[in-house]
Amino acid sequence: MAALCLSDRNTPVFACFLDLSKAFDLVCYDLLWQKLQETSVPEELIGIFQFWYNNQVNVVRWSGTHSTPYRLECGVRQGGLTSPKLFNLYVNALIERLSSTHVGCHVGGVCLNNISYADDMVLLSASVCGLSKLIGICEKYAEEHGLLYNTKKSECMVFRVKRWCPDHLPAVKLNGFPLQRVDTIKYLGHLLTSDLKDDADIERERRALSVRANMIARRFARCSRSVKIALFRAFCTSFYTGSLWVDYAQKQYSALRVQYNNAFRVLLGLPRFCSASGMFAEARVDCFHAIMRKRCTSLVRRVRASRNSILAAFAERVDCQYLNHCCMVHVLTNCKILF
């Protein structure tokens, strides 16, 4: 969404996808307690965290045998409910540093040079020079806080505008190592391409749907109809990033719809050419178009209700392609139903 809106000025957007090595395991306790004390967290709660982490004892189990107990000097617990929030607090100052530079891209007057989700961060800039400056800030912060970037897994990408992109670009370096430039990358489960097309992600979802549907049909062939329908709802009706699909070939989109319909027919043993709308209505299961309408509506509602300044900038733009596409999904679907 961000890259598409940032490229409205017909200039390419340079992105760097940073990967932290064992990010949760390298959190320094002293710095973490200091950051907690700078917030509005009650002292009693901070004391609980300090006691919890400073007195934890760990062992390694192998074939029923336990190693000698040892203590951890750093790191938040993997899979812990509080670990993501503690890590977000640990790197929050980095986000503030990046945003305060005002170097990078802007949307509606709001600086958008970094997008972060836990230990996954993307840097955005309208130039290689700006991107290098942002990387330098990340390198300095990582050194100060005992973090380490994985130069082999970190990659850079140039989002092209109208299929145009500079032929020769200077190398983007992280800790002195040039990063690999890619045209496709998987970020938070979504396939991003340099041309901002969604065909690759739709194909990923179609293949994943085929695998899930075949697994259900094979393992639960003797189950009752109601059980099969419940399994189909649980495993086959969730199109993870479907509400973000805007620029794609209609053939690819239709292939996913056909795959969805056929998966339901195979699971329930229905004729191949039976009415898709009829079988979904009889089973009280959402058809493909109904699922896409619901996901798009959910996206629009959450973006417009968000207090995040960046999402608010998107919501206020009347030319935002994603929100306009979500609204048009309802219009186009209703027209198909009428005709």
Side-chain angles (χ1 to χ4, degrees):
M1 181 185 292
L4 187 58
C5 292
L6 292 171
S7 61
D8 287 346
R9 296 184 179 180
N10 292 327
T11 57
V13 175
F14 300 86
C16 180
F17 297 81
L18 298 176
D19 181 83
L20 281 170
S21 298
K22 301 179 180 179
F24 280 31
D25 297 334
L26 298 179
V27 174
C28 176
Y29 290 149
D30 292 337
L31 291 175
L32 180 60
W33 309 144
Q34 180 181 347
K35 292 178 181 296
L36 276 172
Q37 291 172 354
E38 295 173 355
T39 64
S40 58
V41 177
E43 290 291 337
E44 296 79 6
L45 185 57
I46 298 177
I48 292 175
F49 280 120
Q50 289 178 328
F51 178 82
W52 188 10
Y53 278 98
N54 292 334
N55 293 277
Q56 61 182 344
V57 178
N58 305 272
V59 295
V60 177
R61 185 176 65 182
W62 179 263
S63 298
T65 304
H66 294 79
S67 68
T68 304
Y70 62 93
R71 296 180 56 187
L72 290 179
E73 302 298 331
C74 62
V76 294
R77 297 189 174 188
Q78 293 285 348
L81 295 178
T82 59
S83 297
K85 292 186 180 296
L86 291 175
F87 184 80
N88 288 341
L89 177 66
Y90 195 73
V91 298
N92 186 60
L94 172 59
I95 299 175
E96 293 177 350
R97 286 188 192 181
L98 292 170
S99 300
S100 63
T101 61
H102 298 289
V103 173
C105 300
H106 293 76
V107 176
V110 178
C111 180
L112 180 55
N113 57 15
N114 70 93
I115 301 175
S116 300
Y117 183 83
D119 58 338
D120 291 314
M121 175 176 284
V122 182
L123 303 178
L124 300 170
S125 177
S127 66
V128 177
C129 181
L131 187 62
S132 298
K133 183 174 182 179
L134 296 176
I135 292 176
I137 296 174
C138 294
E139 292 173 344
K140 184 178 180 181
Y141 190 89
E143 183 180 356
E144 295 172 352
H145 291 74
L147 299 175
L148 181 65
Y149 284 109
N150 190 334
T151 55
K152 294 183 178 180
K153 292 186 177 180
S154 299
E155 298 172 321
C156 64
M157 175 183 288
V158 182
F159 293 104
R160 303 194 297 267
V161 178
K162 296 181 180 179
R163 298 185 179 182
W164 175 83
C165 181
D167 295 329
H168 302 286
L169 295 173
V172 178
K173 296 184 178 181
L174 175 64
N175 293 329
F177 293 91
L179 297 180
Q180 180 183 5
R181 178 179 167 183
V182 297
D183 290 324
T184 303
I185 191 170
K186 193 172 186 179
Y187 180 67
L188 299 180
H190 181 74
L191 274 180
L192 293 172
T193 59
S194 58
D195 58 1
L196 294 175
K197 299 286 186 180
D198 297 309
D199 298 273
D201 195 60
I202 294 176
E203 177 62 17
R204 173 201 59 79
E205 187 62 47
R206 190 192 69 80
R207 291 176 179 272
L209 173 62
S210 176
V211 171
R212 294 194 299 268
N214 289 334
M215 181 271 295
I216 296 173
R218 184 177 66 255
R219 295 186 180 181
F220 302 94
R222 298 184 179 182
C223 290
S224 64
R225 175 185 173 88
S226 59
V227 170
K228 292 180 179 179
I229 292 175
L231 290 170
F232 185 83
R233 286 199 184 100
F235 292 95
C236 300
T237 61
S238 176
F239 299 124
Y240 179 55
T241 56
S243 54
L244 299 178
W245 298 334
V246 173
D247 192 356
Y248 50 81
Q250 190 60 41
K251 179 180 179 181
Q252 195 69 49
Y253 192 74
S254 297
L256 176 60
R257 177 182 57 80
V258 171
Q259 182 72 56
Y260 179 78
N261 296 344
N262 289 338
F264 191 74
R265 292 188 180 103
V266 171
L267 182 61
L268 296 187
L270 300 174
R272 182 174 181 179
F273 297 103
C274 67
S275 171
S277 57
M279 67 181 184
F280 285 124
E282 182 181 356
R284 300 190 178 218
V285 175
D286 289 336
C287 67
F288 178 79
H289 295 299
I291 292 174
M292 298 308 299
R293 288 199 304 269
K294 288 182 178 181
R295 296 196 67 86
C296 290
T297 302
S298 176
L299 175 65
V300 173
R301 177 182 57 81
R302 285 179 291 159
V303 170
R304 290 178 175 173
S306 175
R307 297 181 180 179
N308 185 282
S309 59
I310 297 175
L311 293 180
F314 286 118
E316 293 173 358
R317 291 181 56 136
V318 295
D319 61 339
C320 180
Q321 295 188 38
Y322 277 97
L323 297 186
N324 291 338
H325 171 76
C326 290
C327 295
M328 287 301 298
V329 166
H330 294 268
V331 177
L332 295 175
T333 304
N334 291 334
C335 290
K336 291 180 180 178
I337 293 175
L338 291 175
F339 296 99

